Amino acid sequence: MTVDLKLNNAILSAQLGDFSLDVDLALPANGVSVLFGPSGCGKTTVLRAIAGLEPRVRGVVNIAGELWQDETICVPPHLRGVGMVFQQPSLFAHLSVAKNLQFGLKRTPESQRRVSYQQALDLLGIAALLSRKPAQLSGGEQQRVAIARALLASPTLLLLDEPLAALDAPRKAELLPYLAQLNRELNIPMVYVTHAMDEVSQLADYLVLMSAGRVIAQGELASTLARPDLPAQFADERSTILDTRVVELNADFHLTRLAFGCDGSDGQLWVPSKQHQLGQTQRLRIMARDISIATTDETHSSIVNRLPARITALLPTTHPAHVLVQMSAHGVTLTAQITALSQSRLQLAVGQAVWAQVKAVALL
Amino acid sequence: MLNADDLAAIYLTIKLAATTTTILLLLATPLAWWLARNQGWWAKVIGAVVTLPLVLPPTVIGFYLLIALGPNGGLGQLTQALGLGLLPFTFWGLVLASILYSLPFAVQPLQQAFAAIGARPLEVAATLRASPRDTFFSVVLPLARPGIITAAVMSFAHTVGEFGVVLMIGGNIPHETRVVSVQIYDHVEALQYTQAHALALAMLVFSFIVLLALHVLNKPVRSI
């Protein structure tokens, strides 16, 4: 069993009734790692085991070079310096918002404090709530306070267990940007558990796909989502993630032009404008089934976004009717899912120059 | 209307109830916590033993205590060896008996309050760097406040109202073991109905005020 000190490692196993857990995670020491999978796949158990809240789970937990658990050691949760946000906000009902926030802060030695009180208030937008009791807050406000409370204990690792799952859609939309911002502004690695793909594509840097107590795939977000060997249950999520920047605003047609590319040339995509600012970054997700392929530049088409690309691989998927086409466009890999019939009709081959037609883009 | 003996009985009753309640809270809190956190075979046995005084006639408890605390009983020999003498027919004998008798009235509300808190606040506190001991005092006790108040009030009131156990273990010694309930019994035996009325009414009013206070004070911590 080798453990790389530059990574956050968790090698965990347990037999809990009918459910068996057997995972080996090597998560990057920075950024957001998302554990994604259906309910009951064991992702929450993994998170709780990392926090030290699941004594029945055995294994090795090594976080930021510190050994938290192995065959002989099990550091109790309060000495791990781990932060956890639960699905339910779980604020202390007997304490005001301010006292809830100070709970972890005052138990953190001065020398270890990395997040200031004011910083947490600003990041989560809760300065106006300090004197209230938890029962006087909305669900979204409670969860923001819970996140700030966890941050103020300056954890070496922040664990989030479906923090948005208990919220309705508008509250969810209100909280997601706060979470995205946390990742940008604080240098605290996060492990985020969810079964919602929109949260994955918006927040993740690193993705772990889980099913029935096992890790199905793990890796950097864009490459994992593009993998041809994704099992059927994850196949519908197969997609391309692009980080782009806003380069032009077209007021006449209410469109924004986004540029991407990492080979010096710029690829461009037009998307509906959405309060974009010039120079701003914008992450996109393009589903594999939303890219079609043409062998000529079909200007007589309603599809606006056509990208010149070169086929780098043709791969079978888990369903025989479909073929996965990987293309390089401006140094970026695009993944399209087409039918085997189309491949045969168009006589597509590796190395061929084609046009990738993007039918729909999700702005994240 | 209340004579000197009546006032002495009232004072003795309050002293007995206050002493019993204080010791009971210190004893029942860790016991109730342990019972709330354990579902094992041992917890069930201890739980049943704690609840026994609820169903046993007070005379049975008093009888066994009298034997155990007597010169030939195990506890009696222990107290003698410790230089405490024999406890039956003393104030501290009454305290011991009251603690046993009122134990379920202290343990049960505490146990329910602790169980209602659940595991989550403890897990949250642990991930906020609070040790288990720290968590008990900063999270568990404040959240269990309604249960603690109920336990205290019920212990106090139940001790004030006990009669059978007192008579068995304490007898009827003025200023030492003659509490209000025994004093009322004496008045009735002596056909002093006016005196009995006064004390009985005082007890009735007291009990009512206690229960009223319990309902008014005991606003639960609003759950979320």
Side-chain angles (χ1 to χ4, degrees):
Chain A
M1 193 149 28
T2 55
V3 170
D4 186 339
L5 294 185
K6 280 174 295 193
L7 298 171
N8 290 327
N9 283 276
I11 303 161
L12 303 166
S13 65
Q15 185 67 46
L16 311 168
D18 290 344
F19 177 76
S20 89
L21 180 77
D22 192 1
V23 300
D24 184 343
L25 298 174
L27 309 174
N30 289 302
V32 183
S33 304
V34 172
L35 307 186
F36 176 73
S39 299
C41 72
K43 51 197 194 303
T44 294
T45 307
V46 167
L47 207 64
R48 291 173 53 83
I50 294 174
L53 299 174
E54 283 290 342
R56 298 168 299 175
V57 176
R58 295 177 313 281
V60 178
V61 178
N62 196 304
I63 304 295
E66 268 179 62
L67 186 61
W68 285 358
Q69 187 178 338
D70 68 5
E71 292 83 356
T72 53
I73 301 172
C74 188
V75 178
H78 68 280
L79 298 177
R80 292 189 178 198
V82 67
M84 183 136 179
V85 176
F86 297 85
Q87 184 173 338
Q88 301 295 334
S90 312
L91 298 179
F92 296 127
H94 64 294
L95 299 176
S96 66
V97 168
K99 289 269 169 58
N100 264 285
L101 294 174
Q102 285 153 9
F103 192 94
L105 181 66
K106 69 183 184 191
R107 288 167 173 81
T108 308
E110 297 258 6
S111 60
Q112 291 177 32
R113 289 185 192 173
R114 293 189 292 157
V115 182
S116 77
Y117 193 59
Q118 196 56 47
Q119 198 179 3
L121 295 186
D122 293 345
L123 267 172
L124 278 307
I126 51 173
L129 310 176
L130 291 178
S131 59
R132 301 218 207 141
K133 278 289 181 89
Q136 297 167 301
L137 304 180
S138 72
E141 289 170 334
Q142 287 184 23
Q143 197 58 292
R144 269 149 61 193
V145 173
I147 294 168
R149 179 177 66 173
L151 287 174
L152 282 170
S154 298
T156 47
L157 180 66
L158 182 62
L159 308 171
L160 301 110
D161 183 13
E162 307 206 33
L164 306 183
L167 303 176
D168 55 22
R171 295 288 88 70
K172 216 170 142 169
E174 161 198 317
L175 237 151
L176 254 175
Y178 286 108
L179 290 172
Q181 189 167 354
L182 284 189
N183 179 29
R184 287 195 295 270
E185 301 225 345
L186 300 174
N187 191 23
I188 296 179
M190 297 193 236
V191 181
Y192 190 104
V193 159
T194 184
H195 62 258
M197 196 59 208
D198 54 335
E199 294 168 35
V200 174
S201 42
Q202 195 153 342
L203 297 172
D205 299 310
Y206 189 87
L207 180 61
V208 179
L209 300 178
M210 283 187 67
S211 176
R214 303 287 185 276
V215 171
I216 302 298
Q218 59 179 321
E220 186 252 324
L221 173 70
S223 62
T224 307
L225 279 183
R227 276 171 69 147
D229 61 344
L230 286 183
Q233 66 196 52
F234 296 113
D236 283 347
E237 307 296 351
R238 201 175 279 130
S239 50
T240 303
I241 300 281
L242 279 182
D243 285 312
T244 67
R245 58 197 181 283
V246 174
V247 290
E248 184 185 337
L249 304 171
N250 183 319
D252 295 343
F253 291 105
H254 306 281
L255 291 173
T256 297
R257 185 159 68 90
L258 303 172
F260 67 93
C262 51
D263 63 349
S265 69
D266 258 357
Q268 60 171 34
L269 289 164
W270 287 98
V271 297
S273 50
K274 190 182 119 188
Q275 295 161 338
H276 284 116
Q277 308 282 327
L278 280 177
Q280 164 194 352
T281 58
Q282 171 75 59
R283 183 178 270 194
L284 300 179
R285 179 167 185 231
I286 307 170
M287 307 301 293
R289 59 175 182 269
D290 286 336
I291 300 182
S292 64
I293 290 173
T295 46
T296 55
D297 185 9
E298 293 177 28
T299 45
H300 298 287
S301 160
S302 68
I303 293 176
V304 176
N305 292 316
R306 293 186 303 277
L307 301 166
R310 188 168 295 280
I311 296 178
T312 53
L314 289 162
L315 303 159
T317 69
T318 35
H319 195 291
H322 292 139
V323 175
L324 222 56
V325 183
Q326 291 197 329
M327 297 162 283
S328 175
H330 306 283
V332 172
T333 300
L334 299 178
T335 305
Q337 177 177 298
I338 62 170
T339 58
L341 176 67
S342 306
Q343 185 206 351
S344 156
R345 279 183 180 162
L346 295 172
Q347 296 179 314
L348 299 179
V350 171
Q352 190 176 346
V354 292
W355 292 85
Q357 301 182 319
V358 180
K359 288 179 276 188
V361 166
L363 301 179
L364 305 173
Chain B
M1 199 149 53
L2 296 173
N3 64 29
D5 281 349
D6 292 342
L7 291 175
I10 289 174
Y11 169 73
L12 183 67
T13 305
I14 291 171
K15 185 174 141 193
L16 174 65
T19 310
T20 303
T21 303
T22 309
I23 297 174
L24 253 185
L25 284 185
L26 294 175
L27 204 72
T29 303
L31 180 58
W33 178 243
W34 184 81
L35 287 172
R37 303 281 298 162
N38 288 279
Q39 269 90 45
W41 197 79
W42 268 110
K44 288 187 173 56
V45 172
I46 304 280
V49 170
V50 167
T51 323
L52 264 184
L54 274 180
V55 293
L56 280 180
T59 43
V60 172
I61 301 171
F63 174 66
Y64 280 128
L65 267 176
L66 191 61
I67 306 275
L69 289 171
N72 299 318
L75 288 175
Q77 286 174 352
L78 179 70
T79 53
Q80 282 178 309
L82 291 173
L84 300 170
L86 288 169
L87 290 183
F89 309 108
T90 67
F91 175 74
W92 288 103
L94 278 196
V95 170
L96 186 66
S98 303
I99 287 171
L100 266 179
Y101 183 50
S102 297
L103 192 59
F105 290 83
V107 170
Q108 288 204 333
L110 286 172
Q111 190 181 338
Q112 279 164 19
F114 290 151
I117 291 173
R120 181 51 51 81
L122 312 181
E123 293 178 350
V124 172
T127 60
L128 293 171
R129 300 176 183 263
S131 69
R133 175 191 293 263
D134 181 354
T135 302
F136 184 75
F137 288 104
S138 59
V139 176
V140 174
L141 287 186
L143 286 177
R145 195 198 64 199
I148 296 170
I149 293 174
T150 304
V153 173
M154 292 305 288
S155 302
F156 192 92
H158 194 241
T159 305
V160 167
E162 78 179 79
F163 175 72
V165 181
V166 174
L167 216 54
M168 293 295 279
I169 194 94
N172 192 354
I173 304 165
H175 303 279
E176 179 72 20
T177 62
R178 188 191 284 166
V179 294
V180 172
S181 56
V182 177
Q183 179 77 351
I184 293 172
Y185 181 75
D186 281 356
H187 283 315
V188 175
E189 285 275 88
L191 298 177
Q192 294 163 334
Y193 275 38
T194 318
Q195 298 273 309
H197 260 307
L199 268 182
L201 184 64
M203 286 283 266
L204 182 72
V205 171
F206 166 79
S207 303
F208 174 73
I209 290 173
V210 163
L211 291 177
L212 186 65
L214 192 61
H215 284 282
V216 173
L217 275 178
N218 221 349
K219 271 181 285 182
V221 179
R222 259 204 288 178
S223 59
I224 44 173

